Amino acid sequence: MTRPGRDDDPDRLYTVTRGRSRASSDAFDLVTLVVSESDATPGMQSEHTRILRLCQYPTAVVEVSAELKLPVTVVRILLSDLLDSGLITARHPQTAGSAAHLPDSNLLEQVLVGLRNL
Amino acid sequence: MTAHTRPERPRPQRPAKRQMLLALLITLAVTGLTWTVAVSLAEDSVRLPLAWGAGAAAVALCVAVPWAVHGRAETRRLTAELAERRHRLDDFADQEVPALVGRLRGGASTDTALGAARPDNNAEAKVLRTLAEEVGRAEAGKAAALAAGAGAAARLQALTIGMLAELREMEHRHGDEDVLGDLLLLDHRTAQAGRLADSIAVITGARSGRRWSKPIVMESIIRGAMGRIGGYQRVRSHSTVNVAVAGHAAEGVMHALAELLDNAANFSPPTAEVHVYVEEVQTGVVITVEDSGLVMSDVALRRAERAVSARELDLSALSGTRLGLAVVGRLARKHGLKVSFRPSARGGTGVLMVIPQELISRPRSPEESPGRATPAKTVPAAPAKAAAPLPSPTPAPEAERPVPPAPVADDRPPATREHSPAESTGTDELPQFGESGLPKRRRGRTLANANRQERARQDRAASAPAHSPAESAARFGAFRQALQGRDRATGDQTELSPREKSHPEEHTP
């Protein structure tokens, strides 16, 4: 059904990002959760509007990318725009943060040795 | 002409001869009488010389007077003929030749065009033939050159469209920022090359690059136009209207706007911004392009207006570097756009382009579609997705019961909505079935869309608690049979059965 070049949208990606190919912040990786902090205002770029509406509940960057049908890099540029203007917040999934709270490896090693000795 | 001018010519000759004869007779009579009187009255001594002298004089007079009369008649005749010839020459220059050239321009062959001409004489025929051959050759050359240009432009367009699609695919595939940056650069260059190819196609009269199968929203129109010019980063768009341009005209509008933006960007300082405003008016949508560059003089403004409003494209007025306005003019004629120029309050030039109401449709934006269109239905989930695939079977029946056609009206993605309001009224939301019994797709809608209500109804029927216990038991039995892997034929049959059964039900609720 989709012939190449026929059914995609007329706007090119560089007009979506206004010529940038690099996100201004490193806050986003694929699984960063994004939550919108305010509603869309009229006159906003339509991608921004869609992101804000999509991220009313925490949504991963990769999901936003799939929903908008845009490459992740482009989505990260759009997200960092929104982050810079304070319309969204981003946080990393809990697991990444909790890695610091794991028992330290010495203790684990001792447990392992203990188990082997049983 | 020859036929009705020939008899006129001898007519002045006959009265001339008669006049001559009359003059001769009168002269003879007068001189004869005078001579006789003079001779009879003269004295005898002078009678003989007088008779001779007067006789000779009378004879001379008799020759001279008719001669003079003849000369006068001849002069009058020649004057008349000269006037007539001049008149016919004027006719030839004013009517015959332009008519011949017109016929040749209209596409007639040299012989056909000459056949319709009526030259008066050999010289005119020769002139007409030479002219016809030369003009015919020039016209054929022009047509061949245009066709060659159009063909080349069409191939170039196909090439760039393919390249753009591939580039987009690559942009999706390569996540690396450096690679993406390079791809975007190539994308931009290709889009500009595509615009040039489109311009050549428009000027040579070929069809424009592509047709969009759906209305294109204004934001995409502006961004699509921006993407085709070099200095797109200087373009600022201020648009809050929520309208879309019909698919068949979207490409033309985008191209015309791109040319106007390019002009604005090229004729303003490299750091100045170009502003695009969109507003809705009674007659359609006005797009204003304002730059803060050079102020166009009155003469230049008038020339630009003429270029975009000329009836026929004058190929000789084209120059290699300034195709823009000619292209805009041609596109404006094709799609009924109105383009006008005026000095801008920003200090540069403002261009207004009016897109007529016929080309405008109003897609419902996702956030307002549920509430306004079908107040009876409330959609709690997935606010961002008006184009959500299918209503989930469980909550849908309760919500949808009161207004059966509503879900379809709502489930259609906003972009595919046709711009004529009549088309979205209830009746044609129903899927139509052709003679073959298969659902027919309406233009501009996907089959999945056209068939959506059918499927929604099937879903409803499937989830409705209308099954008798026996039927449920039969279904469960079929399921078990399928699980147990009994022979395929019966398995297929029983798998089909619930669907077949659900069909008669759809008429009951």
Side-chain angles (χ1 to χ4, degrees):
Chain A
M1 188 182 122
T2 51
R3 279 214 312 255
R6 169 144 178 99
D7 288 330
D8 40 330
D9 285 323
D11 32 21
R12 315 297 306 172
L13 291 182
Y14 52 87
T15 56
V16 174
T17 64
R18 297 221 188 92
R20 292 162 299 170
S21 63
R22 202 171 288 278
S24 60
S25 77
D26 292 334
F28 302 97
D29 60 18
L30 287 184
V31 292
T32 308
L33 290 175
V34 180
V35 189
S36 51
E37 294 292 332
S38 87
D39 283 336
T41 50
M44 241 178 187
Q45 203 180 338
S46 67
E47 284 80 15
H48 286 165
T49 313
R50 285 179 67 191
I51 290 176
L52 288 182
R53 208 171 298 129
L54 195 66
C55 297
Q56 282 169 347
Y57 301 100
T59 313
V61 171
V62 68
E63 279 183 69
V64 176
S65 157
E67 203 60 54
L68 264 60
K69 297 195 177 65
L70 290 173
V72 176
T73 321
V74 173
V75 170
R76 279 166 62 185
I77 296 170
L78 294 172
L79 285 174
S80 40
D81 282 350
L82 288 171
L83 188 67
D84 290 346
S85 50
L87 296 174
I88 56 168
T89 49
R91 64 184 169 80
H92 286 276
Q94 207 54 56
T95 48
S98 62
H101 304 301
L102 287 176
D104 75 348
S105 52
N106 272 338
L107 182 63
L108 290 173
E109 212 167 309
Q110 284 172 15
V111 172
L112 189 62
V113 170
L115 284 173
R116 283 211 184 110
N117 290 342
L118 278 178
Chain B
M1 210 170 202
T2 46
H4 84 267
T5 48
R6 279 275 149 71
E8 276 181 26
R9 225 172 288 172
R11 208 186 298 164
Q13 279 185 350
R14 225 176 303 153
K17 260 181 197 159
R18 211 182 298 153
Q19 270 178 7
M20 229 170 97
L21 214 62
L22 196 68
L24 182 64
L25 285 177
I26 291 172
T27 324
L28 268 179
V30 170
T31 48
L33 200 66
T34 319
W35 184 76
T36 316
V37 170
V39 167
S40 61
L41 288 183
E43 288 173 24
D44 286 351
S45 57
V46 294
R47 184 168 295 163
L48 194 66
L50 179 72
W52 278 108
V59 168
L61 202 64
C62 281
V63 172
V65 167
W67 186 255
V69 167
H70 174 258
R72 194 164 150 254
E74 191 71 5
T75 309
R76 204 177 292 154
R77 190 181 63 80
L78 285 175
T79 312
E81 194 177 318
L82 200 64
E84 193 202 325
R85 289 216 169 200
R86 191 173 297 148
H87 178 67
R88 260 184 300 149
L89 203 62
D90 281 352
D91 239 25
F92 179 73
D94 288 344
Q95 284 166 18
E96 281 289 325
V97 174
L100 179 80
V101 174
R103 281 194 293 273
L104 286 167
R105 289 260 155 83
S109 73
T110 312
D111 290 332
T112 321
L114 275 179
R118 289 174 306 175
D120 252 352
N121 47 42
N122 227 358
E124 285 187 3
K126 271 188 210 160
V127 168
L128 283 183
R129 171 152 292 278
T130 314
L131 187 70
E133 277 168 2
E134 281 304 314
V135 173
R137 202 173 300 141
E139 283 295 314
K142 188 177 117 189
L146 278 183
R155 277 157 63 186
L156 206 54
Q157 279 176 316
L159 213 59
T160 50
I161 289 173
M163 258 174 91
L164 286 175
E166 281 160 17
L167 279 168
R168 180 174 290 240
E169 199 191 321
M170 287 180 209
E171 282 157 12
H172 277 271
R173 207 163 49 217
H174 297 289
D176 185 59
E177 287 175 342
D178 292 331
V179 178
L180 184 72
D182 292 349
L183 284 175
L184 291 181
L185 194 68
L186 284 181
D187 198 339
H188 184 207
R189 297 263 183 248
T190 312
Q192 289 179 72
R195 177 169 68 93
L196 202 56
D198 283 346
S199 292
I200 299 172
V202 167
I203 286 196
T204 52
R207 60 186 190 84
S208 70
R210 54 167 90 177
R211 287 173 157 258
W212 303 99
S213 51
K214 58 187 181 188
I216 304 291
V217 291
M218 196 45 84
E219 187 189 25
S220 291
I221 294 272
I222 292 175
R223 286 205 302 216
M226 274 164 59
R228 297 172 192 198
I229 69 167
Y232 71 95
Q233 294 183 39
R234 288 159 47 202
V235 179
R236 294 275 170 277
S237 112
H238 311 270
S239 154
T240 51
V241 301
N242 183 28
V243 295
V245 178
H248 66 91
E251 180 66 24
V253 172
M254 235 184 286
H255 188 189
L257 185 58
E259 294 293 346
L260 294 177
L261 285 175
D262 194 39
N263 268 358
N266 282 343
F267 290 103
S268 56
T271 49
E273 292 183 341
V274 175
H275 293 264
V276 181
Y277 303 91
V278 185
E279 62 178 320
E280 278 188 88
V281 292
Q282 194 66 34
T283 51
V285 170
V286 180
I287 302 181
T288 313
V289 178
E290 297 215 329
D291 62 49
S292 42
L294 298 172
V295 184
M296 284 168 87
S297 65
D298 274 353
V299 181
L301 282 178
R302 267 203 303 278
R303 196 183 306 139
E305 295 257 1
R306 217 170 31 240
V308 298
S309 60
R311 291 235 149 267
E312 266 308 308
L313 179 61
D314 185 8
L315 285 176
S316 58
L318 292 177
S319 74
T321 48
R322 295 202 190 169
L323 296 178
L325 290 182
V327 171
V328 172
R330 189 123 189 184
L331 288 168
R333 266 194 303 287
K334 183 174 171 194
H335 295 298
L337 312 172
K338 284 193 212 66
V339 182
S340 51
F341 295 80
R342 58 172 173 72
S344 160
R346 293 181 170 277
T349 304
V351 189
L352 271 80
M353 182 163 85
V354 183
I355 307 172
Q357 200 72 52
E358 303 93 77
L359 301 180
I360 299 293
S361 61
R362 230 157 291 269
R364 275 188 277 143
S365 71
E367 73 267 31
E368 63 186 44
S369 61
R372 287 195 192 168
T374 55
K377 188 188 164 196
T378 53
V379 178
K385 293 183 281 179
L390 270 177
S392 59
T394 30
E398 290 79 33
E400 289 172 7
R401 271 295 154 66
V403 272
V408 184
D410 240 329
D411 280 343
R412 286 171 62 181
T416 58
R417 183 163 289 278
E418 294 289 335
H419 50 273
S420 149
E423 283 184 82
S424 59
T425 50
T427 50
D428 58 2
E429 298 292 346
L430 295 167
Q432 295 170 344
F433 289 88
E435 290 162 1
S436 58
L438 294 172
K440 267 166 62 178
R441 182 178 70 89
R442 286 175 52 79
R443 275 189 74 169
R445 291 173 66 181
T446 59
L447 183 58
N449 232 327
N451 209 17
R452 187 159 285 160
Q453 188 186 13
E454 184 62 16
R455 279 194 287 153
R457 219 188 291 169
Q458 282 182 10
D459 273 13
R460 210 183 308 145
S463 62
H467 305 295
S468 67
E471 195 182 0
S472 302
R475 274 192 183 186
F476 191 63
F479 180 56
R480 263 193 80 202
Q481 279 175 358
L483 270 188
Q484 284 171 354
R486 293 176 57 168
D487 69 14
R488 291 181 65 86
T490 47
D492 283 350
Q493 220 175 359
T494 43
E495 275 211 332
L496 271 179
S497 66
R499 255 171 121 192
E500 286 168 351
K501 274 174 193 159
S502 70
H503 270 293
E505 284 169 12
E506 68 190 38
H507 300 290
T508 46

